Amino acid sequence: MAQEQKRTTFTKQILLSLSLIGVLAGLGFWGLSWYQSTQKLLAPKSDSSASLSRDAEELNVTMLSCCCPDKNKTKRFKERADDPCKLQTQPTKEQLKTAKIAWEYIQNNFNEQTGLINSADNYPSASVWDWSNGIYAIYAAKKFGFISQERFEEMMNSFLTTMQKMEIFNNELPNKTYNTKSAKMTDYNNNARPDGIGWSVNDIARLLASLNVIQQCEENLVPAIDKLILRYRYCRALSVDGSMYGASYENGTIRINQETLTGYEEYAARSFEHWGFDLTEAKAYKFVKEVSLYGVKVPTETREFYSAFLGSESFWYTGFDYGVDDNESGAYIKSIYEVQKARYLATSQFTAITEDNLDQAPYFVYNTIYEDSEPWKTLTQEGRDYDEFKSVSTKAAIGMRMLFDSNYTKKLFDYIDSNYDEKRGYYAGIYEKKAGKNKVLTLNTNAVVLESLLFKNMGPLQKIRKVKSRAGYDYYRNHINNFRCLPREENLTVLAPYNAKMNLSRIGSDEKRAIKKAWEYFEQNYHPQTGVVNGYDHYNMVSMMAVAKTIMGELSANALGLLPQALFQERIEKLLTTLKVLPLYNNELPNKFYDANTMAITGSNGWNMYEIAQTITALYHLQQYHPQYRQDVVDILSRWKFDRAIQTGVKDAQIDNGTQENLYALGDIGKEYYVHSAFSLIGYNTYSHLLDERHLAYKPIYEYEVPASHWAKRTNAESYLWTMLELPYFLKYQHFSSNIYLAQKERYTQTGKWTTSSEEHLDQAPYELVSDIYNHNSHWVDFDQHGNPLDDFTMYSTKVAFIYDALYGYSDTYAPLLRKEVEKLQSSVGGWYSGYYRKFDRKNRSLTLLTNSAILESVWYKKVGNFYYYQHPKSLDRVSLHKPLHLKGRYSIVSPEIKLFVYAKMLLERFKESPVVRIERQKENYVVLVGAYESREKAEEVMKGLNLALYPETFKPKFFNDTNDTTFRIEKREINSDKFLLANRYYAYDYRLPYENQVMEEKKSLLSVPYKGVEKKNPSPL
């Protein structure tokens, strides 16, 4: 940081502040909150998102005005003689001429609006790889004096701004390719693809490499680059063993695939490592067989890809980044050069091969050094042989010249140097067998020319100056509890919900008084004619939510001893009788509203799938805890027809304008998951974006990311509360619930305001309140059912207080405090009030079934934990995070070493019912271990019952290990769960592959309900 040493302390503070604020303003409220606490510039007690946004904006304007009066462009700082980012050698006239010709292509094809550069001349398409090429090219142009610092920043900021705004695949990672004019996702033929076609992990790695080069030297761009890297989620691109994966998307299905070949894989892995990612496996040159060509040993791929060829381009990139004497790859960089020189010496044919575009069909080929036991093949992407299009590549020839100063590369450069159009750039190459030049003009050719010249005059590009810290990026990955699989210094903090295995005594006198008060509501609002309890105090129009909470409240009261068995049976049987003849909307599904006295349809027509799911959940638990009602429940549910409600995503039905029926997608992803989980209990498969990881957005609230739909842009805690009490979920869902709770806690900690997010009934117009944590870029938003703001009605909820106390009160402090705060909200006429208005400083005197049932369910939860998992403890074991294991002197059954991680996973799956089955790394390979036994005898006994056969048709010997060892052994080892790459139980919240969201349900637990409609299938709405 030589430049900084000459600046005053004040100047350094200003630049640091600008750097941080630039990142934080883009990342949201959490950043400004952190900035307040670390810089002490803003009052810590203010939590108005609107005012904070204005403060952030004003701070940005102030800082930009200090340093950048000319249209927000940063002043150019004069380079110091000892600046590590200066050119180490001055380019020769010949080099500048070469660079200037290549730069013509960039200038001709740069889009000022998007900052993207066409991949081919005047063809408005670019892949992520092309973006990276453009970055290197623009930076080279600045260093060679073709553009000013101001123009460089203008071009880069145009690009980085587009990157922040453009749609990315699944709101997860950049799509493989984009239209350079519109910045919209496309396929490789530049056809618009609104849903995208997947991602290339190779291309993303190249992007990370190029941005790391810029961050080494261009401090004014650091905030924008940090912000961009933090936009992406890397969980499905990286695996726990340190491998990388791409994805393809077609016909609604995402397929994760390994796309990286030897050479590219190691280059890509090291590119990720600059940002702290561990890609041990990918950079190991593990699946290499050396083959001799012309006496030169070259590394060939041993894995069985569609076409496992050896090219040269990735090795040139590695050379540009780390130098030809690099400890990890230098030998192979040199051998790739030497084998091409050897071919020239043996045949007199200039040889500089790599993949290239063509100026005629088939338009793109891979010129290979070796593929499928044959050298020097030229192939299309489909594997067809096109040897007549083999060429001397311009970028390969110039690249080799810049990497290796030899007689051969000088001759090669002289041969290729005239292969250009002075006003348009370098052509791709010169054909070997057919006459003429390959006159296609591409970004890849011309950018690589510039990149190679940059290396020649600066040295290895990733070694210019090691980036030791990135303020925004490092803070976010280490301090924001996130779902992006960013590398962290410490494990994520996730609160575990209480479960019965913890065996704590949690029901005391306070709980007993609370449920007695809640039961008063049931007694005063019960309809003996129908068995239904009013949803609102003495209000006789009810929805299916009232049916659901009548059942759940009575189940809870019976389990807690409030409702005697005989009276419970009487009430439940009356309600079941009512439901068996319940009139249905359109003879399909329960209507939205009924008269509680008669259960005749009343009010607006249609159906509400979230409330129907609540009813299914209640009926399921009724027959689980009281099996005598199973057939009654099946009979009731068998009348309902779900086709239109679930076939293409979860849909609600509503009559608009009195006569027009419309179906509306359920936009709340939390409620959508509740529906999915409830329906799964009766054997139906409805779609869930949360479960499928589709179109999700994770928004930082204080220091906790919360999930939202990328389209609906909302987060509300309501459905997460009920799911955690009542339904099966998956590991990451526990994390969702924990972060949602902790964000509310943190708001209280920061502002002193009791905070709950839920949906509540009010005791005055407009009667309905929705309190969102996140809503369309605003935080802590209150509105009515029509979306109108209700800031004056902000309240904290009795229901939420009781549920969070049940879930987390045993281990965290906020939930018990909140529960104590609502103690004052008991009604003298029976039941608990819904909550307390902060602004009005008074009780919300609305009395509702939802609140009082929540209290009964919460206390029951304190006794048994989640109602589903209490009945199915094996499923709970599989979905829970287990305590870390640190055991010494235990015996385990140990597999032979395994080269392929996928083989280790297959063995793990085979042994998954055994205790403590895990995969660990052993040197460069893996072993699968079973058990943590106290004696060798016990391990031997278990080993006799395991299937240890390693059939060669399944476990191919060449991929299993290099010694043909297939022997399982018993070894005495230290057992440390920190070393588990993968296990048959969870020991860490690690969402990298092969993790996937799995709801651990026991098939025998499902209630079989006859399906009246079309064939069951996975109903994706995409």
Side-chain angles (χ1 to χ4, degrees):
M1 306 279 279
Q3 292 178 348
E4 291 183 1
Q5 296 171 1
K6 276 198 169 183
R7 299 181 188 139
T8 66
T9 301
F10 175 76
T11 303
K12 287 195 286 184
Q13 290 174 342
I14 289 293
L15 288 171
L16 175 61
S17 299
L18 175 60
S19 174
L20 296 178
I21 292 170
V23 179
L24 306 182
L27 290 174
F29 181 82
W30 74 268
L32 198 50
S33 176
W34 168 66
Y35 190 80
Q36 294 169 24
S37 62
T38 55
Q39 302 295 320
K40 302 186 185 302
L41 293 179
L42 300 175
K45 287 293 183 182
S46 171
D47 84 316
S48 166
S49 58
S51 65
L52 286 176
S53 296
R54 287 193 296 272
D55 289 341
E57 191 173 289
E58 289 166 7
L59 282 168
N60 267 311
V61 171
T62 301
M63 295 300 181
L64 289 170
S65 298
C66 286
C67 69
C68 325
D70 183 14
K71 297 181 181 179
N72 289 344
K73 294 177 185 175
T74 307
K75 288 182 178 179
R76 183 177 184 180
F77 295 104
K78 186 177 180 180
E79 291 186 342
R80 291 176 44 150
D82 59 351
D83 179 4
C85 294
K86 71 180 181 63
L87 295 178
Q88 300 301 305
T89 60
Q90 290 302 311
T92 65
K93 289 183 179 180
E94 181 183 69
Q95 290 171 354
L96 286 175
K97 173 195 167 188
T98 301
K100 190 66 174 68
I101 293 168
W103 179 243
E104 289 298 322
Y105 177 92
I106 310 299
Q107 291 193 113
N108 293 343
N109 285 276
F110 180 79
N111 188 293
E112 296 289 344
Q113 284 70 45
T114 64
L116 299 178
I117 304 170
N118 298 331
S119 61
D121 193 38
N122 291 317
Y123 182 66
S125 174
S127 68
V128 177
W129 191 278
D130 293 318
W131 301 352
S132 313
N133 288 337
I135 291 170
Y136 282 110
I138 294 168
Y139 186 57
K142 190 204 85 163
K143 299 303 290 185
F144 294 148
F146 301 157
I147 58 175
S148 67
Q149 176 73 19
E150 288 76 12
R151 176 57 176 161
F152 167 74
E153 290 190 17
E154 183 178 49
M155 295 176 80
M156 283 297 301
N157 281 321
S158 177
F159 166 75
L160 291 169
T161 299
T162 295
M163 293 304 97
Q164 282 295 339
K165 293 180 178 179
M166 64 169 35
E167 290 291 339
I168 59 178
F169 176 74
N170 195 39
N171 200 40
E172 187 171 2
L173 288 166
N175 189 52
K176 292 178 179 179
T177 185
Y178 288 80
N179 184 292
T180 55
K181 291 181 179 179
S182 66
K184 299 291 187 184
M185 294 189 290
T186 65
D187 60 21
Y188 281 116
N189 292 318
N190 212 26
N191 300 311
R193 291 286 297 270
D195 286 330
I197 60 172
W199 70 77
S200 166
V201 74
N202 269 340
D203 290 16
I204 292 167
R206 172 80 167 153
L207 177 65
L208 294 180
S210 65
L211 292 174
N212 187 61
V213 169
I214 301 303
Q215 276 212 342
Q216 292 178 96
C217 299
E218 300 292 332
E219 63 184 15
N220 301 310
L221 296 175
V222 167
I225 292 172
D226 278 358
K227 179 181 171 184
L228 178 61
I229 303 303
L230 290 170
R231 185 184 181 195
Y232 304 144
R233 287 184 280 133
Y234 303 92
C235 302
R236 295 198 283 189
L238 307 177
S239 66
V240 295
D241 64 305
S243 297
M244 300 174 296
Y245 293 85
S248 59
Y249 175 73
E250 192 172 358
N251 299 324
T253 300
I254 299 175
R255 291 182 174 84
I256 307 297
N257 53 276
Q258 190 165 12
E259 65 178 22
T260 51
L261 295 168
T262 290
Y264 276 111
E265 184 173 39
E266 291 74 21
Y267 169 76
R270 295 177 75 176
S271 300
F272 271 100
E273 285 189 334
H274 295 303
W275 298 87
F277 295 96
D278 179 8
L279 278 300
T280 303
E281 179 74 0
K283 71 170 190 174
Y285 285 108
K286 185 172 174 180
F287 297 97
V288 168
K289 178 182 178 182
E290 292 187 347
V291 173
S292 181
L293 298 178
Y294 297 111
V296 179
K297 290 183 177 180
V298 295
T300 66
E301 176 69 60
T302 62
R303 288 167 293 185
E304 296 177 345
F305 289 97
Y306 179 75
S307 181
F309 64 84
L310 173 66
S312 69
E313 188 152 333
S314 63
F315 294 95
W316 305 152
Y317 292 129
T318 305
F320 300 152
D321 275 356
Y322 307 103
V324 297
D325 294 319
D326 175 59
N327 290 334
E328 295 183 32
S329 299
Y332 287 143
I333 295 170
K334 292 172 183 176
S335 71
I336 297 299
Y337 157 69
E338 291 291 346
V339 77
Q340 295 181 75
K341 182 177 78 171
R343 180 174 181 252
Y344 166 73
L345 294 175
T347 65
S348 299
Q349 170 61 60
F350 281 116
T351 303
I353 64 97
T354 189
E355 58 255 41
D356 260 321
N357 291 79
L358 301 176
D359 56 6
Q360 56 194 289
Y363 301 111
F364 190 90
V365 293
Y366 296 95
N367 292 297
T368 72
I369 294 172
Y370 192 85
E371 197 274 339
D372 194 22
S373 302
E374 293 185 48
W376 314 111
K377 294 176 69 174
T378 298
L379 307 167
T380 64
Q381 289 174 307
E382 294 77 25
R384 296 176 183 170
D385 199 324
Y386 276 84
D387 192 59
E388 65 270 27
F389 288 108
K390 190 186 302 295
S391 65
V392 180
S393 169
T394 302
K395 62 184 176 183
I398 296 177
M400 280 195 285
R401 175 60 179 156
M402 298 306 126
L403 287 167
F404 298 97
D405 187 7
S406 68
N407 288 333
Y408 173 62
T409 58
K410 185 178 185 306
K411 292 178 182 178
L412 189 60
F413 183 84
D414 291 341
Y415 176 70
I416 205 78
D417 188 41
S418 62
N419 192 37
Y420 60 80
D421 182 315
E422 190 172 4
K423 299 296 184 183
R424 299 171 67 206
Y426 274 96
Y427 298 132
I430 300 172
Y431 290 114
E432 280 193 10
K433 293 188 175 180
K434 55 184 296 183
K437 300 176 179 180
N438 176 13
K439 287 194 171 184
V440 66
L441 290 157
T442 70
L443 171 59
N444 202 21
T445 293
N446 289 280
V448 170
V449 168
L450 285 161
E451 183 180 351
S452 67
L453 288 162
L454 189 63
F455 157 78
K456 183 67 175 177
N457 291 280
M458 288 192 78
L461 299 177
Q462 300 296 347
K463 295 182 178 181
I464 297 171
R465 183 179 69 179
K466 181 177 175 60
V467 179
K468 295 183 179 179
S469 67
R470 298 176 166 97
Y473 174 77
D474 288 341
Y475 184 86
Y476 200 99
R477 67 190 180 97
N478 287 314
H479 293 87
I480 303 304
N481 194 316
N482 67 80
F483 298 93
R484 302 177 188 276
C485 293
L486 298 165
R488 290 178 64 90
E489 294 174 358
E490 298 179 359
N491 291 333
L492 292 163
T493 297
V494 182
L495 298 181
Y498 177 75
N499 67 69
K501 289 184 177 181
M502 297 175 182
N503 198 28
L504 301 178
S505 178
R506 302 187 66 203
I507 300 179
S509 57
D510 287 347
E511 283 76 20
K512 291 175 182 178
R513 285 194 297 269
I515 60 175
K516 286 180 180 178
K517 176 58 68 174
W519 185 246
E520 290 176 9
Y521 178 91
F522 281 74
E523 295 284 63
Q524 294 178 16
N525 285 275
Y526 180 67
H527 291 270
Q529 310 95 309
T530 59
V532 176
V533 176
N534 289 329
Y536 308 116
D537 190 40
H538 293 96
Y539 183 70
N540 293 341
M541 189 166 74
V542 297
S543 69
M544 291 306 291
M545 185 68 77
V547 173
K549 292 309 164 187
T550 295
I551 297 172
M552 291 305 300
E554 291 176 351
L555 273 172
S556 302
N558 178 248
L560 295 168
L562 274 179
L563 182 58
Q565 185 65 20
L567 186 54
F568 169 76
Q569 290 177 352
E570 178 185 325
R571 289 191 174 202
I572 285 294
E573 288 167 11
K574 171 57 70 175
L575 181 55
L576 292 175
T577 299
T578 298
L579 292 176
K580 286 179 181 179
V581 295
L582 184 74
L584 304 177
Y585 167 77
N586 198 36
N587 200 33
E588 289 178 274
L589 291 171
N591 194 55
K592 285 186 174 182
F593 297 105
Y594 293 89
D595 184 319
N597 286 306
T598 63
M599 292 304 283
I601 289 177
T602 187
S604 63
N605 292 338
W607 66 69
N608 182 309
M609 283 298 290
Y610 177 58
E611 296 195 359
I612 289 172
Q614 290 264 3
T615 308
I616 290 172
T617 298
L619 289 169
Y620 175 84
H621 288 310
L622 174 63
Q623 59 83 38
Q624 278 285 292
Y625 285 87
H626 299 274
Q628 67 268 32
Y629 298 122
R630 184 161 298 157
Q631 190 57 51
D632 296 297
V633 170
V634 170
D635 291 344
I636 290 165
L637 295 178
S638 296
R639 297 180 60 227
W640 301 357
K641 300 175 183 177
F642 299 109
D643 287 358
R644 293 200 300 148
I646 65 175
Q647 261 192 312
T648 56
V650 179
K651 300 288 178 62
D652 290 335
Q654 179 173 312
I655 300 296
D656 295 320
N657 302 319
T659 58
Q660 179 64 44
E661 181 196 68
N662 289 303
L663 297 182
Y664 296 97
L666 183 57
D668 184 321
I669 56 173
K671 289 183 177 179
E672 184 190 51
Y673 178 75
Y674 186 99
V675 173
H676 168 86
S677 190
F679 271 74
S680 71
L681 297 179
I682 61 171
Y684 288 67
N685 190 11
T686 70
Y687 191 78
S688 166
H689 287 80
L690 271 182
L691 184 66
D692 201 29
E693 294 274 356
R694 292 308 313 274
H695 299 304
L696 300 185
Y698 293 101
K699 299 300 180 180
I701 309 296
Y702 294 106
E703 295 190 351
Y704 302 95
E705 283 191 346
V706 298
S709 165
H710 180 50
W711 308 118
K713 294 178 170 49
R714 284 187 59 214
T715 303
N716 188 286
E718 178 79 20
S719 58
Y720 295 88
L721 299 170
W722 296 111
T723 299
M724 294 301 292
L725 290 181
E726 300 171 347
L727 290 169
Y729 42 75
F730 48 95
L731 183 75
K732 190 183 288 187
Y733 193 95
Q734 293 180 90
H735 195 170
F736 294 158
S737 176
S738 174
N739 272 20
I740 287 170
Y741 165 76
L742 290 171
Q744 294 170 79
K745 174 187 175 181
E746 188 64 20
R747 186 176 187 235
Y748 168 75
T749 302
Q750 294 277 342
T751 68
K753 298 175 181 178
W754 296 108
T755 300
T756 59
S757 168
S758 62
E759 297 175 1
E760 301 292 340
H761 190 261
L762 304 177
D763 59 4
Q764 64 186 84
Y767 299 111
E768 299 294 335
L769 173 71
V770 179
S771 297
D772 280 355
I773 296 172
Y774 169 80
N775 188 304
H776 288 81
N777 298 320
S778 295
H779 305 158
W780 313 113
V781 179
D782 296 294
F783 54 93
D784 65 18
Q785 59 185 330
H786 303 295
N788 301 309
L790 289 180
D791 294 341
D792 289 346
F793 290 88
T794 298
M795 57 171 277
Y796 52 90
S797 161
T798 307
K799 169 184 69 185
V800 175
F802 271 89
I803 295 178
Y804 276 144
D805 186 44
L807 292 172
Y808 305 121
Y810 79 99
S811 64
D812 190 67
T813 57
Y814 177 61
L817 289 173
L818 182 61
R819 161 67 182 88
K820 186 176 181 180
E821 180 65 20
V822 302
E823 185 69 26
K824 62 190 176 186
L825 300 181
Q826 300 179 51
S827 167
S828 60
V829 298
W832 288 76
Y833 292 130
S834 293
Y836 197 88
Y837 297 117
R838 284 215 309 264
K839 184 171 183 178
F840 301 147
D841 194 21
R842 71 168 179 85
K843 299 171 184 176
N844 171 14
R845 295 181 180 275
S846 174
L847 290 164
T848 71
L849 175 59
L850 206 58
T851 295
N852 287 281
S853 179
I855 291 167
L856 289 164
E857 288 191 53
S858 297
V859 176
W860 187 25
Y861 183 96
K862 285 188 172 185
K863 181 178 180 180
V864 302
N866 176 282
F867 307 143
Y868 175 84
Y869 289 124
Y870 181 69
Q871 293 274 352
H872 309 291
K874 184 181 291 187
S875 293
L876 175 63
D877 182 62
R878 290 179 178 175
V879 79
S880 297
L881 188 74
H882 291 250
K883 291 181 180 180
L885 290 178
H886 298 284
L887 303 172
K888 292 185 178 180
R890 296 298 181 94
Y891 292 91
S892 296
I893 302 162
V894 185
S895 76
E897 288 191 22
I898 305 169
K899 288 180 69 174
L900 271 181
F901 189 70
V902 66
Y903 283 1
K905 286 194 296 179
M906 290 164 63
L907 283 182
L908 177 78
E909 181 66 20
R910 181 190 290 183
F911 303 142
K912 67 180 180 182
E913 298 302 325
S914 300
V916 198
V917 185
R918 69 273 188 195
I919 301 172
E920 295 184 14
R921 188 174 288 282
Q922 186 154 303
K923 298 178 182 177
E924 66 174 10
N925 294 324
Y926 310 98
V927 288
V928 178
L929 302 101
V930 178
Y933 305 108
E934 293 184 353
S935 69
R936 177 177 289 275
E937 291 74 20
K938 180 60 178 177
E940 289 173 348
E941 178 186 341
V942 173
M943 186 172 174
K944 290 176 183 178
L946 297 178
N947 175 12
L948 304 180
L950 299 173
Y951 304 108
E953 59 270 25
T954 302
F955 298 96
K956 296 183 179 179
K958 70 175 181 177
F959 296 129
F960 200 80
N961 58 47
D962 294 329
T963 61
N964 295 319
D965 179 18
T966 59
T967 304
F968 285 78
R969 301 169 178 84
I970 293 175
E971 295 181 7
K972 191 175 184 180
R973 288 184 170 225
E974 177 185 350
I975 297 175
N976 182 351
S977 56
D978 294 339
K979 297 180 179 180
F980 296 0
L981 295 176
L982 195 64
N984 63 336
R985 298 294 184 268
Y986 295 119
Y987 293 93
Y989 286 95
D990 188 342
Y991 306 124
R992 293 174 296 169
L993 289 173
Y995 173 86
E996 58 180 296
N997 294 332
Q998 289 184 314
V999 182
M1000 301 299 182
E1001 298 165 337
E1002 296 177 35
K1003 297 302 181 184
K1004 64 181 181 181
S1005 73
L1006 302 184
L1007 178 65
S1008 179
V1009 176
Y1011 188 82
K1012 294 183 177 179
V1014 298
E1015 181 184 356
K1016 295 184 188 181
K1017 59 182 179 180
N1018 184 20
S1020 170
L1022 302 175

